[in-house]
Amino acid sequence: METGATVAQRESGYERKERDAYMTPAWVTQALVDDLEREGFLPLHGHDNAGKLKPLAIWEPAAGTGQMADAMAGRGYEVFCTDIQPEPGVGFAHDFTEPTLPVLFPAQIGGVITNPPYDQADEFVEVALRMMEARGGLVAMLLKVDWDSGKTRRRFFADCQGWARKLVLLDRIYWFDPVPGSAGPSENHAWFVWSFARRHVGRGASIGYVETPAAERDRLRACKKGKIAA
Ligand SMILES: C[S@@+](CC[C@H](N)C(=O)[O-])C[C@H]1O[C@@H](n2cnc3c(N)ncnc32)[C@H](O)[C@@H]1O
C-alpha cells in the first residue's frame, strides 16, 4: 500500500523510500510539544513508590534516525527509542505491532509519540491506545489530516474516552528539502492526541491549528531558489 508521504514524495520527483523512512522535520514535533504544554497534556508526571511526583518518559516506537526523538529531547523530555530496524545508536529493535514489550522497557513510560508507518497506522494507534489506557498516559500520532474519517476509525474517536485533541498543520510537510523546480508536497497532516489521564478522560476533544514557523518557511524558500543546497 502506498502511503501519504510516499505519494507526495514520488510526485515531487523523489525516489520511494523503503520502510516508510520519512523523518519528521523538527518544527513539526516542536509544534506538538508546544501545543501539548499549552493545553496541559505535557509535561507528564507520575508517582514513585513513595508517592512522590516524578517525570515520566516518552516512547518513540518508530524512531528511524531519531529526528522526532531529538526534537522532544531538545525540549527536555526523556525519550525511549525503538524501531523494527533501529539505526545505529538510536534505541532498540522492536516491532511495535507485536504484543510484547521491548527489552529494557522503562517502567516510567507515560506517553507514546510517533510518526507511524502509514500502512500500519491502525495497528500502531491500537497498540498505543491499549497500552496508555492501562497506564493513564498520552498518545500522539502524526497522520494524514483525514485519518479520522471513515467507519472503521469511529472506535479511535467517537467511541474512545481518551480522544483529546487534533492539531492541524496548516502547511504541508516537506519531508526533504526542496530543490529548484520540484513540486511541493501533496498531503496535509495533523497530530491526533489521546489522553487517559483521569482529568482528561471523557472531557471531549478540542482542535488547534499550527503554521510553519517563519524561519523554517524562509529556509524552505531559499532551498527552492537554490540559495541553500538541499
Ligand atoms: C515514517 S518513519 C518515522 C521516523 C520517525 N518517527 C521520525 O518521524 O523522525 C517510519 C519508521 O517506522 C519503522 N517501522 C516500520 N514498521 C515498524 C514496526 N512494525 N515497528 C516499529 N517500527 C517500524 C521504520 O523502520 C521507520 O524507521
Side-chain angles (χ1 to χ4, degrees):
M1 183 182 152
E2 277 194 319
T3 68
T6 307
V7 173
Q9 299 306 327
R10 191 200 54 219
E11 285 171 356
S12 309
Y14 296 102
E15 280 178 21
R16 185 176 176 147
K17 285 249 177 186
E18 273 180 34
R19 285 189 293 123
D20 229 8
Y22 298 97
M23 304 305 149
T24 307
W27 75 265
V28 176
T29 309
Q30 287 159 357
L32 172 76
V33 171
D34 287 345
D35 186 76
L36 293 180
E37 288 179 349
R38 215 171 22 240
E39 296 294 318
F41 295 104
L42 282 179
L44 297 160
H45 284 98
H47 293 90
D48 62 19
N49 292 341
K52 228 174 103 189
L53 206 61
K54 60 165 195 193
L56 294 173
I58 292 167
W59 184 3
E60 213 297 26
T65 56
Q67 269 176 231
M68 193 173 265
D70 286 348
M72 292 189 270
R75 289 290 166 91
Y77 292 91
E78 194 184 318
V79 188
F80 175 67
C81 291
T82 56
D83 195 286
I84 198 164
Q85 254 176 265
E87 296 288 330
V90 188
F92 304 97
H94 176 69
D95 180 344
F96 192 65
T97 63
E98 289 291 320
T100 52
L101 284 177
V103 282
L104 301 176
F105 184 75
Q108 76 275 19
I109 293 289
V112 175
I113 298 181
T114 195
N115 161 22
Y118 285 84
D119 59 349
Q120 297 169 64
D122 286 50
E123 292 98 315
F124 264 66
V125 173
E126 194 124 36
V127 170
L129 292 185
R130 202 181 315 129
M131 195 175 292
M132 288 301 112
E133 183 167 15
R135 289 167 171 258
L138 176 93
V139 175
M141 295 276 175
L142 182 65
L143 298 161
K144 283 203 249 177
V145 75
D146 62 352
W147 195 83
D148 49 357
S149 164
K151 283 184 197 146
T152 58
R153 303 271 159 74
R154 267 195 76 95
R155 68 187 197 277
F156 299 125
F157 299 101
D159 301 338
C160 178
Q161 288 281 300
W163 167 230
R165 187 160 174 81
K166 182 172 182 177
L167 180 64
V168 178
L169 306 186
L170 292 173
D171 301 302
R172 292 177 181 166
I173 299 172
Y174 279 83
W175 300 97
F176 305 98
D177 284 349
V179 293
S182 63
S186 59
E187 297 285 357
N188 293 301
H189 288 80
W191 282 104
F192 293 84
V193 179
W194 294 262
S195 173
F196 294 95
R198 217 172 299 148
R199 65 186 185 283
H200 295 136
V201 167
R203 290 285 163 86
S206 60
I207 190 160
Y209 296 90
V210 67
E211 294 181 6
T212 311
E216 175 65 2
R217 198 173 300 166
D218 290 348
R219 200 186 64 77
L220 290 168
R221 205 172 288 139
C223 288
K224 279 186 217 162
K225 287 183 179 162
K227 290 185 180 165
I228 301 178

